[in-house]
Amino acid sequence: GIGSTNQVLTVSAGGLPAWATAGGGATVTHQTMNLTSDETTDSETMTDTSVVLTMPSNANSQEFFFGCQAGVKSSSGNSAYYCIEDDTTDQPQVKLSQSTSTMIVSLQYAGVCLAQEVRLRWFSDGGDSTLTLYGSGASNSIASCQSLEVG
């Protein structure tokens, strides 16, 4: 036959295929966060946004993938920098030549779950530029993040 419910195809010690009862497997959890109001900054040093998730502890040897997408704009069109930070160190920054119209920033990061916060950070590259990160007021460009934790 082709096996039965809850069985998987394995390879026996002799190298032959055999059906066996499935056992264990990875645990996958999912988190989502959507920004509920606009945020602005005119900081010229890296600063936190409210786009953040807290990873679980590493009890199950979990690792995570974090993805963030955000609608942003600059009041003067100066460049801006964005990064994902995981409470241990700033990760590689993305420099974006900003526009006074809305642009989409998309960043991803993977790491080990250690009960840490993982967040989007940003700063403006000089001048009198104010950056806006869109929340609930912009229906197609709301800042949000998602994570998948696997262990």
Side-chain angles (χ1 to χ4, degrees):
I2 60 167
S4 59
T5 303
N6 296 325
Q7 287 192 318
V8 294
L9 190 58
T10 63
V11 177
S12 70
L16 299 173
W19 290 101
T21 301
T27 299
V28 178
T29 55
H30 175 254
Q31 297 184 67
T32 299
M33 182 274 172
N34 294 316
L35 193 64
T36 57
S37 60
D38 293 355
E39 287 187 29
T40 61
T41 188
D42 59 3
S43 175
E44 293 181 22
T45 59
M46 196 61 79
T47 187
D48 292 345
T49 70
S50 295
V51 179
V52 60
L53 290 174
T54 301
M55 297 300 110
S57 67
N58 199 14
N60 298 318
S61 300
Q62 290 179 301
E63 296 186 4
F64 70 88
F65 173 80
F66 179 93
C68 177
Q69 180 171 309
V72 294
K73 80 171 190 175
S74 169
S75 63
S76 65
N78 286 352
S79 295
Y81 292 85
Y82 302 88
C83 77
I84 301 296
E85 192 263 346
D86 75 352
D87 276 353
T88 58
T89 183
D90 288 333
Q91 301 310 311
Q93 298 173 6
V94 173
K95 180 179 180 181
L96 183 62
S97 296
Q98 282 286 181
S99 166
T100 54
S101 23
T102 301
M103 301 176 75
I104 302 297
V105 173
S106 180
L107 298 169
Q108 296 79 38
Y109 177 69
V112 175
C113 294
L114 299 170
Q116 76 272 40
E117 289 187 340
V118 180
R119 72 177 64 243
L120 175 66
R121 302 188 81 209
W122 63 342
F123 75 93
S124 176
D125 191 18
D128 293 325
S129 184
T130 298
L131 300 176
T132 300
L133 182 66
Y134 287 107
S136 61
S139 62
N140 65 347
S141 55
I142 295 173
S144 66
C145 59
Q146 294 190 27
S147 68
L148 290 176
E149 302 96 26
V150 180

